[in-house]
Amino acid sequence: MMPFDPASPEPILLTRRVADSGAVASPAKLPYRNLRRFGWILLSLLILVVLAFTLIRLWTHQALRGSLPQIDGSLSIAGLSAPVTVQRDSHGVPHIRAASLDDLVLAQGFVTAQDRLFQMDLLRRHAAGELAEILGANLLIHDRTQRTLQLRAAADRVVAALPADQLHYLELYARGVNDSIELQRAHLPLEFRILRYKPAPWTPRDSLLVGLAMFEDLTNTFPVKLSREAIAAHLSPELVDDLYPVGSWRDHPPTQPAVDLTAPQQSIPDIPLDESQTRLTKPATPATNPGDPEPALSLPKGLDSETWDRSATASTSSAHDLLALQQSLRNPVCEGCLAGSNNWVVAGSRTASGKPLLSNDMHLAHSVPGIWYEADLESPASTGEFHAAGVSLPGLPFIVVGHNSHIAWGFTNLGADVQDIYIEQLRGSGQSEQFLASDGSWQPVLHQTEVIHVHNGHDVTLDVAATRHGNTITPILSSLLPSEKRPLSLRWTIYDPATLDTPLLSINSATDWTSFLAAFSTFGGPAQNVVYADDQGHIGYHAVGYIPVRGSLAQPTPLTSVPVAVDTAHEWSGYIPFDKLPQAFDPPNGVLATANARVAPEGYPYPITLDWAAPYRNERIWKVLLGRDHLTPADMLALQTDIYSDLDHDVAQRLAYAIDHSGTKDRRLHQAADLLRNWDGNVTADSPAAPIAIAARNALWALILAPRLTPATSPSSQSGPGEPLWQLYSWGEKSYAGEQIIMHTPDRWLPSTYHNWDELLTAAVARGLASTNAPADLTHWSEGKSHPVEIEHPVFTHVPLHNLLIGLPIGTGVQPQSGDTTTVKQVDRSFGPSERLTADLGNLDNSTLNLVLGESGNPASPWFLDQWPAWYKGTTFPMPFSAEAVRSATTHTLTLTPN
């Protein structure tokens, strides 16, 4: 043991060594030496970190710049029969000129992949349920959902059934994409390098998967049916009807004439629904009170009581499972953010040029890059003239929305009910398991094995069971809802290959109303509202897409927004005939418009949907357009960016009145009332009144729903204590339902804890302010701060220190914005207009178009975020179309030559 001197803090041995060396060391110097040594180590580490950071940043910049596409000179690619010219303007928009249509489509695939390759790969993986393979186990739930929904299998069936000409162009497009992949293989976009994988060759199936991803976003509403079923089990039929209105007095179907406000008016009921559609509504089963005897069940043909016990008719899904499903599907993206759009067309009688103007802005979830890719495509008359410009969907050939030399067209989502959830009856197990068909026969359950590859994890194998209805396979959703005890299957139009015809070439090539309708008569995309204009001065509207008819065509079965029994009344007998869909041509008032609200005219014989979008945007568009003439493209843009909310304005006045009459002494609430009463209804970014009204509307739902939606009120429900049942409430016209409740203040909705509605509405304002962390002085609050916009990159945003390492803007950041979900400019934090188009049929070169961000997916490109300032500030860009206009706008020219 080392000797130790109690009087000295150091060992004797150390003292002797110092003495023997002939030097006298101060004990105080030793900590200093250690500190200096530590400092050198720390400095060295810091230098290494800075060096590593610098090297990574240099590598990142080099990778980004190295993956920029060639845009000048010439490139040799396989598959072309003649040279193709790609002229890019100052925003990188490619104007592609080819000697033949085949070369044009191949070149479109090549050029699109130059700018959007990673986005295209991500879209096909998203639809197919293959994201966990590159992003890891966090995406496993997403992939399980997509595999269960069987989008990949649906795409395979469509490829096998496509008309030969459509398959031909998908193959040409794929060849162009693969030429681009091969050329980029040595310097792939940075996302591929970060995630350490390479893209597989593109195939026609991948193009269909991209289309199906859009189809899913626009039509996947089955979670609403499950949620409505769970909610309806706790409420009286009267309350359910309040929550789920079908149309409203604010509706303006495009096929009906404008209301003459000068004519004598009949009394208008509180909620005057479209009677023709209401008659097509199947009443919900009345909820039973606790302790009531269970109603007797009539067993379906071929079903014994033992089998029936396995398939209880009451909802058994927990609220947590249903909320998790909504989150997995991002359905809806945010409160009030239903995928939709605005479109309208005005005749020459209302325009400055004397020719029609057509406008379209499609509302979708924001992404980096944006969902659309602008392009101008032309092949000469010698090979069959083709010239179309507008927005394309990366992964699909041709133009989705835009114009050609003679016509223009634009979409909004129709919102048709194209999904049914069947309560299946099963017997047996394993390979001998059977389901009861609607004809009373027992059929074998089908099984599909799905293998999900997980990055840095083990493969996951799924057994997706399915039944069959008619000629379509309907997957069983049990794995998506662990608490659900009933076997529920999903019928969806995408499972019928005959409904997925994509005649974009015919649409792009149409020259008049007759050829336009002929092209759309086989349109198999998600059901849409299409507006039309042509250079001869005509305007038109037509609903398009395959909308199923339940029961018989002669006597359709009423729609129901809950799961249905398997019987002949709920089987699909076909689809609404194209010529029977809502339509209009050259209306006397010179205006046609849709914004996802009800389009079924009075007396319409076929059920389309019960779940129309809220009417406010559509109502505002009609009011503005019918009150104007001498309209210009600038007027169209002003309407696309209109931020007046009639809903919020009306609600604000009612809230101010409630606070005034509530007896509250809270000075902050009275300040809120003053701001609300003096507000003009414009949801400007600096408005303090708008976020007060919005927050109160949202808070009211919890106040009136939570007390009623408690598990104790329904013994049949599997919901447990504390389950957030009220959060399940979702409906296209939810905001309208809220307006009716606020304005009519029915006693049936007043909770017992409040004496009157003024107290309740005042409490909604107080709770709304608290839940949104509003400042003490409400004049310092604003809509822009409360509901900003933020668009993030799907990969770079999740890279540690991405702002420093990449050193370039990779998104918009958090920015204040105007508008809300009820204004024509329908926006939320990550949702809004995905493009803004106006086609001027008097001079197509006067047409305008801008995307949200830009053409490129590469942050090093000048065209990555160059269109964002215009989108954000409500300005736009010209859309050159004629040869002279394109030539004047060209800044770069690339020639693609045959290999």
Side-chain angles (χ1 to χ4, degrees):
M1 179 177 295
M2 183 181 297
F4 186 80
D5 181 358
S8 171
E10 300 214 330
I12 296 174
L13 179 60
L14 178 59
T15 306
R16 287 175 178 170
R17 286 178 178 172
V18 173
D20 291 343
S21 67
V24 179
S26 169
K29 290 185 178 181
L30 290 173
Y32 173 76
R33 289 178 179 175
N34 291 337
L35 182 62
R36 186 171 61 179
R37 185 180 296 113
F38 176 76
W40 279 110
I41 294 172
L42 185 63
L43 180 61
S44 300
L45 289 174
L46 182 61
I47 292 172
L48 288 174
V49 169
V50 171
L51 181 61
F53 173 83
T54 303
L55 290 175
I56 293 174
R57 183 162 179 171
L58 287 173
W59 176 86
T60 300
H61 281 206
Q62 184 178 11
L64 286 171
R65 292 191 178 93
S67 59
L68 289 171
Q70 181 176 336
I71 54 177
D72 288 298
S74 64
L75 275 175
S76 179
I77 64 173
L80 291 178
S81 64
V84 174
T85 301
V86 182
Q87 298 166 274
R88 291 185 185 258
D89 60 26
S90 59
H91 294 290
V93 177
H95 302 263
I96 306 175
R97 306 294 182 253
S100 69
L101 191 56
D102 282 8
D103 285 350
L104 183 66
V105 172
L106 189 149
Q108 184 188 7
F110 179 88
V111 172
T112 305
Q114 277 189 307
D115 290 326
R116 300 288 188 90
L117 180 58
F118 179 72
Q119 180 191 31
M120 293 166 64
D121 189 69
L122 208 63
L123 282 171
R124 64 175 170 178
R125 285 182 174 275
H126 156 63
E130 297 174 350
L131 289 177
E133 185 175 4
I134 60 171
L135 298 175
N138 287 340
L139 273 297
L140 190 54
I141 293 177
H142 167 275
D143 285 0
R144 283 179 181 271
T145 302
Q146 295 301 94
R147 298 297 183 93
T148 301
L149 295 180
Q150 292 284 283
L151 268 69
R152 189 169 62 174
D156 286 334
R157 290 193 290 269
V158 175
V159 169
L162 271 182
D165 60 330
Q166 292 185 30
L167 182 59
H168 171 69
Y169 289 114
L170 290 181
E171 289 172 339
L172 284 170
Y173 187 90
R175 191 181 305 172
V177 174
N178 290 330
D179 285 342
S180 188
I181 291 175
E182 189 59 34
L183 196 66
Q184 297 182 59
R185 198 164 294 281
H187 47 83
L188 286 168
L190 182 59
E191 295 94 333
F192 290 106
R193 304 191 193 189
I194 290 175
L195 299 175
R196 293 181 294 175
Y197 81 100
K198 295 182 179 180
W202 197 264
T203 67
R205 181 183 78 169
D206 297 324
S207 290
L208 292 170
L209 282 170
V210 169
L212 286 175
M214 179 66 72
F215 205 118
E216 181 179 21
D217 287 345
L218 297 179
T219 68
N220 205 22
T221 58
F222 77 89
V224 175
K225 297 189 176 187
L226 293 169
S227 297
R228 177 169 178 169
E229 179 189 42
I231 289 173
H234 297 262
L235 301 176
S236 69
E238 188 177 32
L239 295 182
V240 171
D241 289 343
D242 288 341
L243 293 179
Y244 299 98
V246 183
S248 74
W249 64 269
R250 292 178 180 270
D251 290 336
H252 195 311
T255 54
Q256 291 183 189
V259 176
D260 182 3
L261 298 179
T262 65
Q265 298 294 308
Q266 298 178 349
S267 61
I268 301 175
D270 288 345
I271 309 177
L273 307 180
D274 170 13
E275 294 182 1
S276 65
Q277 293 293 292
T278 305
R279 286 196 298 270
L280 298 173
T281 306
K282 187 174 183 179
T285 302
T288 57
N289 294 319
D292 285 352
E294 291 291 330
L297 296 175
S298 175
L299 300 184
K301 178 182 176 182
L303 195 65
D304 56 35
S305 59
E306 181 180 357
T307 307
W308 179 260
D309 289 341
R310 298 176 54 201
S311 307
T313 55
S315 172
T316 57
S317 295
S318 72
H320 287 299
D321 281 351
L322 292 172
L323 284 172
L325 179 62
Q326 291 179 3
Q327 291 165 3
S328 173
L329 294 170
R330 296 192 71 201
N331 184 23
V333 175
C334 54
E335 179 66 33
C337 300
L338 299 175
S341 312
N342 304 316
N343 70 9
W344 60 81
V345 59
V346 291
S349 60
R350 291 186 176 274
T351 69
S353 69
K355 292 287 187 179
L357 290 171
L358 180 146
S359 292
N360 190 195
D361 53 296
M362 296 177 281
H363 304 166
L364 298 166
H366 288 316
S367 61
V368 177
I371 189 62
W372 302 113
Y373 183 76
E374 186 178 349
D376 174 15
L377 312 173
E378 183 178 12
S379 63
S382 59
T383 58
E385 183 178 3
F386 180 93
H387 192 187
V391 295
S392 65
L393 187 59
L396 279 174
F398 303 114
I399 299 299
V400 175
V401 162
H403 68 79
N404 61 26
S405 299
H406 301 286
I407 71 166
W409 66 97
F411 290 124
T412 67
N413 192 27
L414 177 60
D417 188 347
V418 297
Q419 292 183 323
D420 276 335
I421 302 176
Y422 293 115
I423 306 172
E424 300 284 0
Q425 317 303 333
L426 305 180
R427 72 180 184 185
S429 61
Q431 296 301 315
S432 61
E433 190 174 29
Q434 295 178 313
F435 70 93
L436 182 65
S438 58
D439 62 2
S441 64
W442 288 95
Q443 304 292 332
V445 171
L446 309 174
H447 291 271
Q448 172 74 31
T449 299
E450 297 280 348
V451 179
I452 302 176
H453 303 299
V454 182
H455 180 67
N456 289 333
H458 298 292
D459 289 352
V460 175
T461 301
L462 298 180
D463 175 34
V464 181
T467 61
R468 184 184 290 276
H469 289 266
N471 62 344
T472 61
I473 294 173
T474 53
I476 293 177
L477 307 177
S478 303
S479 63
L480 302 182
L481 299 164
S483 59
E484 179 61 64
K485 294 179 173 56
R486 301 168 300 172
L488 304 177
S489 68
L490 175 65
R491 190 169 190 181
W492 193 1
T493 47
I494 71 165
Y495 300 141
D496 181 357
T499 68
L500 294 180
D501 191 290
T502 53
L504 288 176
L505 173 58
S506 298
I507 295 168
N508 287 195
S509 304
T511 57
D512 55 23
W513 181 242
T514 300
S515 57
F516 184 74
L517 293 187
F520 268 110
S521 64
T522 61
F523 177 77
Q528 299 286 292
N529 297 302
V530 181
V531 291
Y532 162 96
D534 65 33
D535 56 358
Q536 299 304 305
H538 300 295
I539 64 173
Y541 157 80
H542 209 294
V544 300
Y546 287 91
I547 303 171
V549 175
R550 288 81 172 173
S552 69
L553 287 171
Q555 190 172 1
T557 298
L559 290 176
T560 175
S561 287
V562 295
V564 297
V566 177
D567 54 36
T568 54
H570 294 103
E571 290 288 3
W572 298 1
S573 58
Y575 302 97
I576 300 177
F578 179 76
D579 61 352
K580 302 297 184 183
L581 290 168
Q583 55 189 285
F585 185 68
D586 283 344
N589 61 26
V591 175
L592 289 167
T594 71
N596 315 119
R598 181 174 67 88
V599 299
E602 300 291 343
Y604 186 69
Y606 297 102
I608 293 178
T609 185
L610 305 180
D611 193 8
W612 303 104
Y616 305 104
R617 287 182 290 117
N618 190 56
E619 180 188 41
R620 175 67 172 170
I621 292 167
W622 281 95
K623 283 184 176 180
V624 171
L625 293 178
L626 289 175
R628 297 285 304 277
D629 55 19
H630 294 88
L631 292 163
T632 67
D635 296 320
M636 302 295 96
L637 181 63
L639 183 53
Q640 287 177 329
T641 55
D642 184 271
I643 53 173
Y644 174 77
S645 172
D646 204 42
L647 168 67
D648 292 327
H649 193 204
D650 288 351
V651 168
Q653 303 307 307
R654 180 64 183 89
L655 295 175
Y657 178 93
I659 295 171
D660 290 344
H661 292 79
S662 67
T664 180
K665 304 300 182 183
D666 190 320
R667 295 179 61 184
R668 189 159 172 256
L669 288 176
H670 283 290
Q671 183 187 36
D674 290 338
L675 292 170
L676 290 167
R677 90 174 87 255
N678 295 316
W679 181 43
D680 63 2
N682 284 298
V683 188
T684 58
D686 59 358
S687 168
I692 298 172
I694 295 168
R697 283 198 291 113
N698 293 335
L700 181 64
W701 288 118
L703 290 172
I704 65 175
L705 288 178
R708 291 170 173 81
L709 296 179
T710 56
T713 61
S714 178
S716 63
S717 173
Q718 298 300 305
S719 299
E723 292 236 321
L725 280 169
W726 70 272
Q727 295 180 24
L728 293 175
Y729 175 45
S730 177
W731 193 243
E733 293 191 275
K734 178 178 179 178
S735 56
Y736 174 74
E739 179 195 22
Q740 295 303 294
I741 292 172
I742 290 171
M743 293 303 178
H744 295 284
T745 59
D747 289 340
R748 60 183 175 272
W749 278 109
L750 184 66
S752 59
T753 51
Y754 294 92
H755 292 98
N756 55 56
W757 270 91
D758 290 335
E759 287 187 7
L760 176 60
L761 294 177
T762 300
V765 175
R767 178 173 290 196
L769 296 177
S771 64
T772 52
N773 298 314
D777 183 352
L778 294 177
T779 60
H780 295 157
W781 205 21
S782 69
E783 172 66 11
K785 293 178 182 178
S786 181
H787 298 94
V789 60
E790 181 181 19
I791 310 178
E792 299 180 323
H793 193 281
V795 174
F796 296 155
T797 303
H798 302 287
V799 175
L801 301 174
H802 61 269
N803 288 324
L804 294 175
L805 287 174
I806 295 176
L808 295 167
I810 58 172
T812 63
V814 180
Q815 303 289 338
Q817 71 173 338
S818 58
D820 67 11
T821 57
T822 67
T823 57
V824 176
K825 179 190 174 184
Q826 186 190 25
V827 294
D828 202 83
R829 190 180 191 103
S830 59
F831 178 88
S834 56
E835 47 73 50
R836 293 189 181 110
L837 164 75
T838 291
D840 184 346
L841 276 298
N843 181 354
L844 290 172
D845 286 332
N846 285 339
S847 302
T848 60
L849 174 63
N850 81 276
L851 308 179
V852 183
L853 301 177
E855 288 284 82
S856 176
N858 188 331
S861 170
W863 305 318
F864 178 65
L865 294 176
D866 62 311
Q867 298 195 42
W868 164 249
W871 185 95
Y872 182 65
K873 296 175 182 178
T875 61
T876 190
F877 306 108
M879 188 180 173
F881 187 72
S882 68
E884 181 180 354
V886 170
R887 186 165 48 251
S888 298
T890 297
T891 58
H892 300 274
T893 301
L894 174 68
T895 302
L896 304 177
T897 61
N899 189 344

